[in-house]
Amino acid sequence: MAAITSTVGAFSGINTGDIIDKLMTIEKQPYEKLTTKKKEFQTDISSYGEVASNLSSLKAALANIQSKKLNSYTASSSDAQYVKVTADTGASAGQYGLKVAQLAQEEKLYSQAFSSTSDVFNSGTITVSNGGHSTTITLDYSNKTLSGIRDAINSAATDVSATILHDSTGYRLMLSSRGGSTSSPLSISVSDAGGSANALDAFTYDPTTGGNMTLLQYRQDAQFSVDGFQLTSPTNRVSNAVSGLTFDLVNPTSNRTVTVTVNPNSISTSDNMKTFVEAYNNTLAKLKELTAKGQPLQSDGTIRTIINSMRNVFISGTSSSSVAVFGIAHNKDGTLAIDSTKMDTAISRSMVNFYKSINSFSSSFTTTLTNILTNTLSVKNDTINTQIRQIDDKQSSLSDILDKKRAAYVKKFAAMEQAIADMQSQSQSLNNITRSSTTSK
């Protein structure tokens, strides 16, 4: 709609613009009512979006209480000064004996000392090789200082790291291998474009013939055993020796055995079970919040249907298979709670029945949530969006009508101003005639 500009009639002295504004305010009431309704619909969509988000989180939590996803384990070491251990979801209960013969160590090279990290070198290239893999770094005006070379190596090389060591003689570039193998140790070659700056030859090293870099320490693999099986690792963190366990080798064990024990945690206190209960209670709280008095979805029938559907899942099974038998029950306010004693006792009597019940419950609840998300809420959103589009269409038509009405008001007041102008002109003419007649006498 065109904007209204307040103007004062040149001949009438009436603020015609203000009058038109007030007339159009009345005319615009149907349009403004549609705007208010549209905002209400948009608020509803936002609220249903919050519902969908909570239901999706609950659905994801349900997927993690099926079968062995509920199992978790705690691993401990008999002497963490030598071997540390952590367990993940792939672990199993058991006990293992570890001996550490040798720790892994990086291969390290260092350069001659330079006076500053800002010392400049000739342009060219540096190629660092480790474990049969090579990376070539181009040096130019942007990176050919000592610190620039360090940063360029760290940015480009995936298996070599660079740092600068400052000692009493100056600043040295130090390179360390990351991974690799003893059969393909670190080597560094350069291509110097020449110039008056420091020569790149300062960084050369060949494992056979040597070079201008100095070998500080050789690379070696960790050597250890698990239950007598001899193993090696390029690093002291070992995650592929026993499924679900990560060993951190801290010190050689001098042929003594470190015992690693893996025990199952209580399912009733597992993170996945806790997450499910929290997700359910959070979803229920959000549904109640949005339907409370004065809230966007107050007395909304769709939300009541969703709440009832969620509750019905818990009472749809037989008494022997209901999850309530296994310690998952409703509080008086509708929230969920876990009776750890009841669950642990039921599981100790029959793990098979517990998993059978929990899997059936999870599958049924997931189906219910999927139906709510893809049907109930999807249809609701489609309906609201259709209503918003209809409002947009109506407002577009009303906008055209209002523009025409405003134009008509402007035209009428313009005609009134013209009529007043004509009358004032006629009056002036009559006055002039009267004065002329009086003067001639």
Side-chain angles (χ1 to χ4, degrees), residues 38-53:
K38 180 178 177 179
K39 288 180 179 178
E40 292 174 354
F41 282 143
Q42 290 170 332
T43 300
D44 288 349
I45 287 179
S46 177
S47 297
Y48 283 122
E50 293 184 70
V51 173
S53 177

Side-chain angles (χ1 to χ4, degrees), residues 160-191:
V160 177
S161 62
T163 189
I164 293 176
L165 177 67
H166 183 207
D167 63 16
S168 60
T169 61
Y171 297 84
R172 303 174 186 272
L173 182 69
M174 179 177 285
L175 299 184
S176 303
S177 64
R178 291 188 290 183
S181 65
T182 54
S183 61
S184 298
L186 272 174
S187 66
I188 305 168
S189 60
V190 302
S191 175

Side-chain angles (χ1 to χ4, degrees), residues 112-179:
Q112 67 187 66
F114 297 95
S115 61
S116 167
T117 59
S118 300
D119 278 12
V120 178
F121 295 81
N122 293 331
S123 298
T125 62
I126 290 182
T127 300
V128 292
S129 301
N130 180 39
H133 175 258
S134 297
T135 302
T136 298
I137 298 110
T138 298
L139 301 179
D140 54 27
Y141 70 93
S142 66
N143 62 356
K144 60 181 184 177
T145 62
L146 188 63
S147 60
I149 293 173
R150 174 201 59 195
D151 296 341
I153 292 173
N154 287 333
S155 295
T158 59
D159 49 8
V160 177
S161 62
T163 189
I164 293 176
L165 177 67
H166 183 207
D167 63 16
S168 60
T169 61
Y171 297 84
R172 303 174 186 272
L173 182 69
M174 179 177 285
L175 299 184
S176 303
S177 64
R178 291 188 290 183

Side-chain angles (χ1 to χ4, degrees), residues 266-371:
S266 170
I267 288 177
S268 63
T269 59
S270 70
D271 289 340
N272 286 349
M273 185 62 76
K274 289 178 181 178
T275 298
F276 161 66
V277 171
E278 289 173 0
Y280 182 90
N281 291 341
N282 289 341
T283 299
L284 184 63
K286 176 56 66 174
L287 294 174
K288 289 181 177 180
E289 174 191 328
L290 293 172
T291 53
K293 185 176 181 180
Q295 295 304 307
L297 303 181
Q298 178 182 345
S299 303
D300 186 277
T302 300
I303 301 301
R304 288 199 301 271
T305 298
I306 292 174
I307 292 175
N308 290 335
S309 297
M310 289 171 57
R311 287 175 176 168
N312 287 339
V313 176
F314 289 87
I315 60 176
S316 59
T318 62
S319 59
S320 61
S321 62
S322 172
V323 292
V325 175
F326 294 94
I328 302 177
H330 280 93
N331 294 317
K332 290 183 179 181
D333 62 357
T335 59
L336 286 186
I338 300 299
D339 185 330
S340 297
T341 301
K342 189 173 184 180
M343 179 174 286
D344 292 342
T345 300
I347 291 173
S348 66
R349 289 174 179 171
S350 178
M351 176 70 79
V352 173
N353 285 341
F354 170 77
Y355 277 130
K356 182 179 179 181
S357 179
I358 206 72
N359 286 346
S360 175
F361 164 76
S362 178
S363 178
S364 176
F365 206 165
T366 298
T367 299
T368 296
L369 294 178
T370 299
N371 181 62

